[in-house]
Amino acid sequence: GVKYAVSQPQQAWILLRRCGYIFLVDEDQAPEVIMPGIMVSILVGLSFHNFGVNLFLSAAVLCGLISHGMIILQGIILNFPTERDLILREFRNGAYSIPAYWTARGGLSILIACVQGAPMVTIWYSLVGFTPEFRVVLHVYFASTLNACIFALMACVMGLVNKTELASAQVAEPLGSAMSIFSGQIISRRFIKPYALFAYYGLPISWAFEIAITAVLERKGDRGAEILSYYNLHPGNRGRNYAILVAMVVLWFFIGMAVALRTLRGTD
């Protein structure tokens, strides 16, 4: 095997710091995530400001979750192809291992999703006019962030597979439509066609949506209960949904590891 100057955990830590520094100083990375996220959050919040307790609240929650996921997805996926040549050269020169690189790059993507979620959720949640209850805000934040973490890892995988920014963008675009259609908000779960249920259960947005909307509506009296009943969503499912989302994060991390090993080691 290849002998490295430092251990693989040290390699991952060094690469994480380097990737983080590049993300912050590169005008094509941090600005593509931070500014669009803030602008979209303001747009969502003002669009659904003080609508009352009705079905529009579910649309507000869905838009908030989707905007977080898509901003992270687009902000990450377009930068991966530009890194490929550098990563391949350094790997082939024995600078570090592919697992160390993926651990750093995937870990940074998760960190970006977590940090970006704080201002985005705070902005749109406050502007919509939801009850400023810390417990509810935490549920919405964790739901939004776990969904975004999974889409961040998906973005990394797509960036590894596709060699150009255009190809990556073309693969990413359909995910936005899929997130909307199979979230359980536009078409509630009981009306989704049996042959399409795999998308409902396979995408993280449906599990995140149930966590967030039940937290928002469970103390909104009879009207809140009616809306949850319409969507067939229950506050008691939140523990299960959190477990599924965390499992998806772990699954996509290891999928990314496998794809990185295959695509980077096997690239001529």
Side-chain angles (χ1 to χ4, degrees), residues 5-225:
V6 297
S7 67
Q8 293 200 42
Q10 288 177 304
Q11 292 174 30
W13 172 241
I14 294 168
L15 288 166
L16 177 62
R17 289 187 294 171
R18 186 183 78 170
C19 291
Y21 175 77
I22 293 173
F23 173 80
L24 291 174
V25 301
D26 188 348
E27 62 182 13
D28 291 328
Q29 295 198 40
E32 289 182 359
V33 173
I34 297 171
M35 294 310 299
I38 292 174
M39 293 173 64
V40 171
S41 297
I42 293 173
L43 178 62
V44 170
L46 293 179
S47 298
F48 294 96
H49 180 64
N50 286 340
F51 262 61
V53 182
N54 50 49
L55 290 176
F56 289 113
L57 282 188
S58 64
V61 171
L62 177 63
C63 287
L65 297 178
I66 288 178
S67 62
H68 188 187
M70 286 305 296
I71 291 293
I72 293 296
L73 179 75
Q74 295 286 7
I76 291 174
I77 196 172
L78 296 178
N79 291 298
F80 246 92
T82 61
E83 297 179 9
R84 176 181 292 271
D85 291 340
L86 173 63
I87 301 305
L88 284 173
R89 183 171 66 249
E90 293 179 339
F91 165 65
R92 288 169 178 169
N93 287 336
Y96 49 77
S97 69
I98 295 300
Y101 166 72
W102 170 253
T103 300
R105 198 62 177 85
L108 177 65
S109 300
I110 291 173
L111 182 60
I112 292 169
C114 293
V115 173
Q116 178 73 347
M120 288 190 68
V121 170
T122 300
I123 290 170
W124 68 257
Y125 184 96
S126 302
L127 289 178
V128 169
F130 289 136
T131 305
E133 188 175 348
F134 186 65
R135 179 191 63 84
V136 178
V137 176
L138 276 183
H139 279 306
V140 175
Y141 168 77
F142 285 131
S144 184
T145 298
L146 285 169
N147 177 68
C149 285
I150 295 163
F151 276 91
L153 292 172
M154 287 182 179
C156 293
V157 172
M158 293 176 196
L160 288 169
V161 172
N162 296 286
K163 297 183 179 181
T164 66
E165 294 91 334
L166 179 59
S168 297
Q170 289 174 335
V171 174
E173 289 299 332
L175 274 176
S177 299
M179 274 206 291
S180 301
I181 295 171
F182 299 112
S183 63
Q185 193 275 332
I186 294 178
I187 307 174
S188 63
R189 179 169 48 198
R190 63 179 178 273
F191 293 120
I192 296 177
K193 302 297 184 183
Y195 56 79
L197 281 173
F198 78 93
Y200 174 86
Y201 291 115
L203 289 171
I205 187 68
S206 59
W207 310 104
F209 177 69
E210 183 169 22
I211 292 172
I213 195 63
T214 54
V216 168
L217 293 178
E218 67 177 328
R219 298 186 182 182
K220 293 295 184 182
D222 293 339
R223 184 55 181 148

Side-chain angles (χ1 to χ4, degrees), residues 204-263:
I205 187 68
S206 59
W207 310 104
F209 177 69
E210 183 169 22
I211 292 172
I213 195 63
T214 54
V216 168
L217 293 178
E218 67 177 328
R219 298 186 182 182
K220 293 295 184 182
D222 293 339
R223 184 55 181 148
E226 289 176 11
I227 296 172
L228 292 179
S229 177
Y230 171 77
Y231 289 116
N232 194 28
L233 302 176
H234 307 282
N237 292 339
R238 281 201 294 263
R240 177 204 65 186
N241 294 351
Y242 275 125
I244 290 172
L245 289 173
V246 170
M248 284 185 173
V249 172
V250 175
L251 174 63
W252 276 100
F253 185 86
F254 283 105
I255 289 174
M257 179 73 77
V259 171
L261 289 169
R262 182 176 180 84
T263 58

